[in-house]
């Protein structure tokens, strides 16, 4: 009989003074693909719960993606 996988967590906090959203991953969540899967699933779950259709989500990503990836210091995610 196989054992159950460990629970993993991601904690999101905001830092408005620095215009950032910070992420803290549990020590057992080290695989970037797994992190991305969990964050993506949470995002799409939120969008669905808000009643957004696929087009609205596509437009949201298209309109705001640069805010999360900008290299000019304005990125919402500090890397």
């Amino acid at each position: 009989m196989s054992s159950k996988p460990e629970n993993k967590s991601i904690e999101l906090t905001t830092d408005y003074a620095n215009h950032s959203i910070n992420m803290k991953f549990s020590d057992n969540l080290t695989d970037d693909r797994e992190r991305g899967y969990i964050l993506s699933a949470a995002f799409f779950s939120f969008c669905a719960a808000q009643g957004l259709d696929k087009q609205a989500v596509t437009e949201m990503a298209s309109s705001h993606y640069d805010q999360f990836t900008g290299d000019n210091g304005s990125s919402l995610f500090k890397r």
Side-chain angles (χ1 to χ4, degrees):
M1 179 181 267
S2 65
S3 61
K4 293 182 180 180
E6 293 180 272
N7 289 327
K8 300 175 182 184
S9 65
I10 301 172
E11 178 184 342
L12 300 174
T13 58
T14 56
D15 182 347
Y16 290 106
N18 291 313
H19 307 284
S20 67
I21 298 170
N22 305 297
M23 293 184 283
K24 180 180 177 186
F25 300 94
S26 59
D27 291 339
N28 62 347
L29 185 52
T30 58
D31 185 305
D32 285 339
R33 292 176 302 165
E34 190 173 23
R35 289 177 177 185
Y37 175 79
I38 292 168
L39 290 167
S40 297
F43 172 73
F44 287 122
S45 176
F46 172 78
C47 290
Q50 296 300 309
L52 299 175
D53 62 16
K54 184 177 178 181
Q55 184 62 34
V57 174
T58 300
E59 289 174 9
M60 183 188 336
S62 179
S63 297
H64 301 290
Y65 190 76
D66 290 343
Q67 289 177 300
F68 295 93
T69 60
D71 289 330
N72 62 0
S74 65
S75 174
L76 293 173
F77 287 102
K78 300 295 182 189
R79 294 184 247 178

